[in-house]
Amino acid sequence: MARMRGKFQLLALAAANVRNKFAEWLYLRSGVDWTRPMQVYGEFNARCNARCLMCNYWRQPEKRELPPAVWIAALESLRRLSRRFHLQLCAVEPLLRNEELFEVLDFCRDVGISCGITTNGQLLNGGNITRLLSAGVLNVNVSIDSLDPHVHERIRGVPGILPRVLANVEALAAEARRAGGRTRVLLRPLVCRENLSGLCELVEYAGRIGAAGINFQPISRATDEAGEMFHVDLALLDSQIERLLAMRRAGAPILNSGPSIRWWGDYFRSRPVPPRDGPCVVALRNLYISVEGDVTFCRFGGAKIGNIASGDLAEMWRSPAARKARAELVRCDRVCVGTSLEKKRWRDYFETFRRLVG
């Protein structure tokens, strides 16, 4: 029964995304705006229990965290505008706000909002696994960059982190299967100098533990350390790209599209990435909510359109500020790991959906 509910939720999300694809097409050709938010990324907390080299969050002064009631009110507003969308609580470690996090996740379950979390895996203990499965989260994304303890420890900045995380993610995958398979476990490794030689090993590991997929994220140069990690061995990169593409063709659970993987070669050589087939559509489907409640369409740039602590989220989507920001962002030609390296064709969306439905 739980698995059937999960499949229904995915089917409903797929239908909503098809509807929004038509709305995007209409907007780009006529300016008529029937778009709705399909993917909402939320920074639920400001603290982290890791010290990742490529991240600035833990280096910044402590920020004010919004109470669950503010998040719930924003989601309820958005549900009236866009009945089907997915909420991903990410950026830092949401499980540090344990009780408040589950208040939001349980609300999402009760009203039928698809949701998931991104975690570094340290706090995926038995109690949290039980509660995540009870909340019916659609996906748990776990950041595992290498099966070499020294490499993962260097990237994440926590001594002894890997054995704990592997034990936790394997327990989560096993419990998810026992619970009926509604919750999908996804691995989210970086692609960088430090872990480049072990990418294929991570794919094999994902298959071994029964993860629904693995989605690689090429590193962006957000910190000085990340700038150094960007300088990969290019011959090794080319070799790994060919191996990953072969594994993907053979049925490995790699969620990145073939063209996306192929373009890593250009990205890490700082070459121009092939242009999009059309304008950037991030502002026609995405929302990003910062830990302090600021709302934007794009995590890499774009104007703030409001704050969930002081405004209605659905009204923000339809506001003059949002219309202006949308018009500007569809013309964006910046190369970024958020869109330029994630271009997908219809058959790629279908393949991802097939793997997640499983």
Side-chain angles (χ1 to χ4, degrees):
M1 182 62 71
R3 188 168 182 82
M4 289 302 297
R5 286 197 301 270
K7 286 188 175 183
F8 172 79
Q9 191 171 64
L10 279 167
L11 285 167
L13 276 174
N17 273 278
V18 169
R19 179 257 178 218
N20 209 66
K21 279 291 182 185
F22 170 76
E24 293 167 12
W25 175 88
L26 184 66
Y27 176 88
L28 294 171
R29 281 155 182 77
S30 70
V32 174
D33 192 354
W34 285 355
T35 61
R36 297 290 184 270
M38 292 286 100
Q39 183 75 38
V40 180
Y41 297 93
E43 297 177 3
F44 189 66
N45 65 302
R47 294 161 291 139
C48 195
N49 55 357
R51 296 293 181 266
C52 301
L53 293 176
M54 61 287 173
C55 181
N56 278 317
Y57 284 101
W58 59 271
R59 309 172 204 250
Q60 297 170 349
E62 190 168 318
K63 297 180 180 179
R64 177 177 64 102
E65 296 174 339
L66 298 176
V70 172
W71 285 93
I72 288 171
L75 294 171
E76 185 60 54
S77 166
L78 204 56
R79 194 166 70 99
R80 292 192 297 270
L81 172 68
S82 179
R83 177 159 178 77
R84 295 290 178 184
F85 61 91
H86 181 75
L87 168 69
Q88 189 71 20
L89 297 176
C90 54
V92 279
E93 183 48 62
L95 285 167
L96 282 171
R97 292 185 70 186
N98 188 297
E99 293 302 320
E100 296 160 309
L101 170 68
F102 286 111
E103 187 175 339
V104 174
L105 296 181
D106 288 346
F107 165 79
C108 290
R109 175 199 60 206
D110 293 343
V111 301
I113 294 174
S114 170
C115 62
I117 70 165
T118 298
T119 173
N120 61 43
Q122 295 185 84
L123 297 179
L124 280 175
N125 55 45
N128 283 338
I129 288 172
T130 298
R131 296 189 69 178
L132 285 167
L133 297 180
S134 174
V137 296
L138 186 63
N139 62 295
V140 178
N141 297 354
V142 187
S143 301
I144 300 178
D145 300 307
S146 175
L147 297 183
D148 182 327
H150 301 294
V151 173
H152 189 69
E153 178 178 314
R154 168 167 165 71
I155 292 173
R156 297 292 163 177
V158 180
I161 183 176
L162 184 64
R164 298 197 305 272
V165 172
L166 294 183
N168 289 347
V169 75
E170 289 164 23
L172 171 63
E175 287 300 318
R177 286 195 300 274
R178 277 194 284 271
R182 174 186 171 95
T183 297
R184 276 70 176 171
V185 179
L186 304 176
L187 303 189
R188 288 279 290 171
L190 289 171
V191 178
C192 64
R193 180 186 62 189
E194 275 69 8
N195 72 339
L196 187 60
S197 63
L199 300 184
C200 296
E201 189 180 9
L202 284 168
V203 176
E204 293 168 351
Y205 176 75
R208 253 191 338 266
I209 68 171
I214 181 167
N215 196 333
F216 292 99
Q217 180 180 356
I219 194 167
S220 60
R221 288 174 274 193
T223 67
D224 291 341
E225 296 95 329
E228 292 299 317
M229 295 163 73
F230 182 86
H231 296 297
V232 301
D233 180 325
L234 294 173
L236 177 59
L237 174 68
D238 293 340
S239 171
Q240 292 293 78
I241 286 173
E242 294 305 324
R243 290 184 64 194
L244 289 170
L245 289 172
M247 294 176 81
R248 190 179 187 279
R249 287 192 297 269
I254 299 172
L255 299 181
N256 306 78
S257 70
S260 297
I261 296 171
R262 178 72 67 192
W263 291 339
W264 295 350
D266 288 333
Y267 176 70
F268 282 102
R269 287 176 169 86
S270 298
R271 293 175 182 164
V273 174
R276 302 181 185 94
D277 292 335
C280 179
V281 296
V282 162
L284 308 181
R285 55 177 23 253
N286 287 8
L287 282 176
Y288 290 85
I289 305 175
S290 77
V291 67
E292 295 178 309
D294 290 340
V295 181
T296 60
F297 292 124
C298 176
R299 57 183 163 176
F300 299 108
K304 169 183 165 183
I305 63 170
N307 187 291
I308 63 170
S310 57
D312 182 272
L313 190 51
E315 291 180 2
M316 291 176 209
W317 180 270
R318 296 178 293 214
S319 69
R323 289 198 296 270
K324 183 174 184 291
R326 262 195 288 276
E328 292 171 351
L329 285 169
V330 294
R331 296 192 297 269
C332 178
D333 59 0
R334 173 180 176 176
V335 174
C336 68
V337 297
T339 56
S340 300
L341 296 184
E342 284 298 320
K343 184 166 69 172
K344 292 185 178 182
R345 300 155 297 190
W346 276 104
R347 68 183 183 185
D348 295 315
Y349 286 110
F350 175 79
E351 178 63 17
T352 297
F353 175 73
R354 185 189 67 78
R355 290 182 185 279
L356 292 179
V357 170

